[in-house]
Amino acid sequence: MARVVFEHVTKRFGDVVAVRDLSLEAFDREFLVLLGPSGCGKSTALRMIAGLEDPSEGSIRIGDRVVDEVEPKDRNVAMVFQSYALYPHMSVRKNIEFPLRTRKVGKEEREKLASEAAHTLGLETLLDRKPAQLSGGQRQRVALARAIVRRPDAFLMDEPLSNLDAKLRVQTRAELVELQRRLEATVIYVTHDQVEAMTMGDRIAIMSDGVLQQIGPPQSVYEKPGNLFVARFIGTPAMNTVTGPVVPEGEGLAVAIASSRVPLPAPYAKAVGDAGLTGVVIGVRPEHLTLASEGLLPATVSVVESLGHERHVICRLEDGQMVIVRQQSSEPAPGEGSMVRLATDLHHLHLFDVHTEQRIEPA
Amino acid sequence: MTFSGDSGTLGALADLGEADEAEARTPRQRGKRFGRRRRREIGLAYLLILPSLLIFGIFVFYPFFRNFYLGFYKTPPFPGLPTRYVGFDQYSNVLTSQDFVDSLKTTVGFALLTVPAGIILGLLLAVLANQQLRGVGIYRTIFSSTIATSVAVAAVIFGTLFNPVVGLLPWIGIDPKPPILDNPNLALFGVAIITIWQTLGITFILMSSGLQSIPDELHEAAQIDGAGPVRRFWRITLPLLSPTIFFAVVVGSIFAFQTFGQIDILTQGGPIKRTNVLTYFIYKTLRQDSNDGKAAVLAIALFAITFVLTLIQMRVLEKRVHYGR
Ligand SMILES: Nc1ncnc2c1ncn2[C@@H]1O[C@H](COP(=O)(O)OP(=O)(O)O)[C@@H](O)[C@H]1O
Ligand SMILES: [Mg+2]
């Protein structure tokens, strides 16, 4: 296994910049998730590691080797495609053996390794079938078996679970992580699903429009989103973000939301004051909001969604901005159309510059 | 296949329209009504296929059976004398005659010269033109362009190229003696080359579309799995292209067995019958020898060969060389 490093990699397709100045390292034996909405350049980044696309600028290393001039077949990485890309004319066994055949592994060794891989993924009884005779989940396993059979330096996976139904996806998620730990593999995993990213990744790299937004362990990305994009992308329901001008309030500063004032805790007020910001975006996760009579912000309940174990109360502030409150089912439900007040612990606040959209750290 | 699918849809649509009403009725009423509706539908179906049935009847079925019938009658040696019923004797005589066997050999030889070479060449060009290169579209257009030339045009072009005085060979300093199309050993090659060239466009298009139907990801996966271009061609491209190749072989063979234009224009079956393929043999028997009976038997033989090829094609293509999604 080996680490994978991007150094200032840019990829253009004509006028489209698919990946812009990406610098990133996947550590040895790390499960790194590339996360972002569709079209943000995740697949392109992954394909550049495999050598299926050449960077327009910059350089990629696998282990200690710069691979810019290395053919895909000589890069010693394995890839699992979203469509699985199984060879339709070959049996499961032949599919799994294919990477070994191309590397001239002897018959005996080949059969032994293929059986091991098949065993690891529970495919023993399916070895003589053709891919067309398999279910989606089984095909996915064959694709994985074909990837692990030859101990590559790194595994590249491009949305490998997105063709499975929801239940199988949850189960396979855990199995994939188990497999990665057991093989001590370096995995670079592409997904647009932030739940997959949060649950599977040692670290998550979030991309938008070809630009890396933030990289870090799931919890730290969740707790300290570096900018508005990350804040809104990670977490379901998404973080509430309301925008307002900064106004003086007694000794300190506050953010004006319609007729109300949200006072900024002193360290934030200092940071905002020092930077001379006139407007900010306040972010609060839905689980950090409560409906309380002494709350700061008046709002009208527009819809109440019940999910069984919890409840999402969707409210409108006086100026029309939407805010979601997450409640336990045991709490009393507000009636739709009723007036409520929203409260939060001020240390749960996230603050972003309204222009740069960057996180404001308390001074 | 397509036909049964269509009629299925038609039936389903009709069912859909009456489903609500049908639900409210008792089973017996429904059965009665269904019967009437069914009869109406069948009537309509026959009405709809009547025009094509007529056309097929007049231009295909009638001539076919008429031909079969003509084969039972021996054409007299001089015009004006009555024809004589000989039944299957004429079939066995003609089909065992040296003339026929020679012509059949020539035709098979012609197919063997044109079909494999044509497919290999078409495949080669298709693989080359399938690369993602700038300006490759120009080549695609050039390679497919022969589809827009007629047999006659191709024959004239190559007739000129093969010309012993103003052709290609004298131009590069070779003096072919006798000229290719007059050389008993080379004439069939000459006609084969024209045919390969003329069918290259369609073969190229067929192979290209076959190549494009192979998902890119399979090539990419094979690349990552360590396969170089040569192995990818043999292990991925060729197996996945086998249905297309098979189709091209069968259809190409049928085409080869029906070749006529270039022979008629360039060699008229000669020299010494070395290009006397079945179609030309039939034509000559009918036109020059005015031997209707014999020509009819030859035509039936050609039909039988084509028919068998078609059967093989339908059987194999529907059954074997087909990989699910
Ligand atoms: N081969 C290509 N040619 C042209 N544009 C491409 C190509 N591949 C990707 N792109 C463009 O690059 C951007 C990123 O694509 P991609 O990496 O596939 O995104 P993602 O995997 O995150 O959905 C998109 O705008 C896409 O249209
Ligand atoms: Mg993608």
Side-chain angles (χ1 to χ4, degrees):
Chain A
M1 288 297 148
R3 62 194 187 132
V4 175
V5 183
F6 285 84
E7 281 170 354
H8 298 289
V9 171
T10 294
K11 175 66 185 177
R12 293 187 202 89
F13 295 102
D15 291 340
V16 180
V17 183
V19 173
R20 191 187 298 270
D21 194 23
L22 177 65
S23 293
L24 178 71
E25 172 167 358
F27 303 128
D28 188 17
R29 278 170 263 173
E30 180 179 33
F31 199 120
L32 179 70
V33 177
L34 293 185
L35 173 68
S38 173
C40 73
K42 316 177 291 286
S43 296
T44 305
L46 200 69
R47 290 165 59 82
M48 285 193 285
I49 304 173
L52 298 173
E53 308 283 357
D54 293 325
S56 312
E57 285 163 32
S59 175
I60 294 176
R61 274 185 292 145
I62 301 174
D64 295 322
R65 185 167 63 138
V66 175
V67 293
D68 299 337
E69 305 297 327
V70 180
E71 289 288 309
K73 73 183 177 71
D74 301 320
R75 291 200 179 191
N76 197 28
V77 295
M79 187 152 167
V80 178
F81 291 81
Q82 181 174 356
S83 65
Y84 313 139
L86 300 179
Y87 310 122
H89 55 298
M90 296 183 198
S91 65
V92 169
R93 186 195 307 277
K94 287 265 162 61
N95 262 283
I96 299 175
E97 285 183 1
F98 188 80
L100 302 175
R101 279 176 191 272
T102 61
R103 288 181 171 73
K104 315 249 186 310
V105 177
K107 187 169 184 321
E108 232 164 81
E109 178 74 0
R110 199 168 68 209
E111 281 172 4
K112 182 173 144 275
L113 291 174
S115 306
E116 277 174 21
H119 176 75
T120 304
L121 288 148
L123 292 166
E124 293 100 325
T125 56
L126 304 173
L127 284 173
D128 294 319
R129 296 218 197 152
K130 293 276 173 66
Q133 297 166 303
L134 301 176
S135 71
Q138 290 168 337
R139 283 180 210 180
Q140 208 262 348
R141 281 161 191 281
V142 177
L144 279 173
R146 189 176 67 183
I148 67 171
V149 74
R150 64 192 162 92
R151 306 293 145 116
D153 284 343
F155 289 98
L156 312 176
M157 306 194 181
D158 194 348
E159 316 221 2
L161 304 186
S162 57
N163 283 347
L164 301 180
D165 61 56
K167 199 169 161 192
L168 198 53
R169 202 174 327 163
V170 173
Q171 181 190 336
T172 314
R173 215 157 71 189
E175 287 173 355
L176 256 180
V177 174
E178 269 176 18
L179 191 66
Q180 183 260 344
R181 301 272 193 271
R182 187 142 37 102
L183 299 175
E184 304 195 319
T186 307
V187 173
I188 300 172
Y189 184 104
V190 161
T191 182
H192 66 266
D193 180 342
Q194 50 104 8
V195 178
E196 256 174 44
M198 293 292 288
T199 52
M200 298 174 82
D202 291 326
R203 286 189 305 155
I204 312 179
I206 298 136
M207 292 180 67
S208 169
D209 281 336
V211 179
L212 177 66
Q213 304 289 317
Q214 188 173 5
I215 180 167
Q219 199 59 35
S220 84
V221 171
Y222 185 81
E223 286 169 359
K224 291 200 166 186
N227 61 32
L228 259 185
F229 176 84
V230 176
R232 288 177 177 146
F233 196 74
I234 303 273
T236 35
M239 180 188 284
N240 297 301
T241 50
V242 295
T243 309
V246 177
V247 293
E249 167 96 345
E251 302 281 278
L253 295 174
V255 181
I257 309 288
S259 63
S260 319
R261 299 281 176 274
V262 180
L264 291 175
Y268 277 114
K270 179 161 171 13
V272 170
D274 288 352
L277 301 178
T278 52
V280 292
V281 179
I282 300 174
V284 192
R285 297 218 175 264
E287 60 267 37
H288 295 145
L289 278 176
T290 48
L291 305 180
S293 49
E294 75 281 13
L296 277 171
L297 289 176
T300 313
V301 175
S302 58
V303 180
V304 179
E305 295 175 346
S306 179
L307 278 74
H309 63 294
E310 66 180 33
R311 193 183 299 126
H312 299 164
V313 182
I314 297 155
C315 309
R316 294 250 177 224
L317 301 180
E318 290 164 299
D319 60 359
Q321 298 193 73
M322 188 192 277
V323 169
I324 300 179
V325 180
R326 190 156 139 193
Q327 281 190 321
Q328 295 306 308
S329 296
S330 50
E331 298 172 52
E336 290 184 1
S338 61
M339 296 295 297
V340 292
R341 296 188 76 85
L342 307 176
T344 185
D345 234 339
L346 287 179
H347 72 264
H348 285 312
L349 281 192
H350 302 262
L351 218 57
F352 303 92
D353 183 326
V354 77
H355 297 295
T356 64
E357 305 202 337
Q358 294 300 309
R359 178 182 189 81
I360 299 167
E361 287 293 345
Chain B
M1 207 170 72
T2 327
F3 288 129
S4 69
D6 283 355
S7 71
T9 318
L10 206 67
L13 277 181
D15 283 346
L16 212 64
E18 308 209 8
D20 298 343
E21 289 175 64
E23 222 148 26
R25 267 179 265 274
T26 67
R28 206 164 131 221
Q29 280 171 321
R30 230 165 65 192
K32 228 165 118 189
R33 204 186 134 75
F34 181 77
R36 213 190 309 145
R37 197 184 80 199
R38 176 121 191 102
R39 247 174 286 135
R40 258 208 331 255
E41 233 174 58
I42 290 173
L44 180 67
Y46 280 115
L47 195 71
L48 289 175
I49 59 171
L50 192 63
S52 63
L53 198 64
L54 268 176
I55 292 171
F56 266 86
I58 293 169
F59 293 104
V60 178
F61 298 140
Y62 172 71
F64 176 73
F65 287 108
R66 177 76 189 160
N67 211 14
F68 208 72
Y69 167 83
L70 278 176
F72 291 135
Y73 289 84
K74 198 160 173 59
T75 309
F78 303 104
L81 299 179
T83 56
R84 189 160 54 88
Y85 178 79
V86 291
F88 281 104
D89 281 0
Q90 177 149 263
Y91 280 85
S92 54
N93 287 341
V94 171
L95 296 182
T96 55
S97 69
Q98 194 58 43
D99 268 2
F100 173 73
V101 174
D102 284 348
S103 176
L104 189 61
K105 275 186 191 161
T106 304
T107 315
V108 171
F110 179 74
L112 289 177
L113 281 177
T114 52
V115 177
I119 287 173
I120 291 170
L121 214 56
L123 180 57
L124 190 75
L125 291 184
V127 169
L128 291 178
N130 204 33
Q131 314 290 323
Q132 302 296 330
L133 295 175
R134 195 180 293 267
V136 78
I138 298 170
Y139 286 91
R140 288 195 192 127
T141 314
I142 293 174
F143 295 158
S144 8
S145 64
T146 70
I147 203 173
T149 53
S150 73
V151 173
V153 170
V156 170
I157 292 173
F158 275 82
T160 313
L161 287 176
F162 287 151
N163 186 294
V165 182
V166 299
L168 195 61
L169 290 182
W171 188 63
I172 59 172
I174 299 173
D175 182 14
K177 257 187 194 143
I180 290 173
L181 294 177
D182 295 336
N183 183 335
N185 295 324
L186 289 181
L188 196 63
F189 273 106
V191 187
I193 287 174
I194 299 169
T195 310
I196 292 171
W197 182 83
Q198 216 250 320
T199 51
L200 197 56
I202 182 78
T203 318
F204 169 75
I205 289 172
L206 202 59
M207 293 299 151
S208 292
S209 79
L211 284 180
Q212 271 155 32
S213 73
I214 302 175
D216 286 344
E217 289 192 345
L218 291 185
H219 289 292
E220 294 174 350
Q223 238 173 315
I224 295 171
D225 283 345
V230 176
R231 184 185 289 268
R232 289 205 300 276
F233 178 79
W234 289 106
R235 297 277 172 238
I236 309 292
T237 310
L238 211 54
L240 291 176
L241 209 57
S242 62
T244 310
I245 293 174
F246 180 77
F247 177 79
V249 167
V250 176
V251 174
S253 303
I254 293 175
F255 255 64
F257 272 85
Q258 297 180 342
T259 301
F260 178 77
Q262 50 274 60
I263 308 261
D264 186 40
I265 293 172
L266 293 174
T267 63
Q268 291 85 42
I272 49 170
K273 297 195 178 175
R274 287 298 171 87
T275 60
N276 191 31
V277 294
L278 265 180
T279 45
Y280 197 75
F281 188 28
I282 296 170
Y283 168 77
K284 225 168 55 178
T285 307
L286 192 67
R287 279 297 146 104
Q288 290 179 11
D289 310 347
S290 296
N291 193 336
D292 295 13
K294 185 176 169 188
V297 173
L298 291 173
I300 296 283
L302 178 59
F303 163 76
I305 293 167
T306 318
F307 186 63
V308 169
L309 285 173
T310 310
L311 275 188
I312 295 174
Q313 138 90 6
M314 283 165 65
R315 273 288 159 80
V316 179
L317 218 55
E318 294 216 332
K319 285 228 180 83
R320 215 198 66 71
V321 209
H322 183 65
Y323 309 111
R325 301 118 284 151

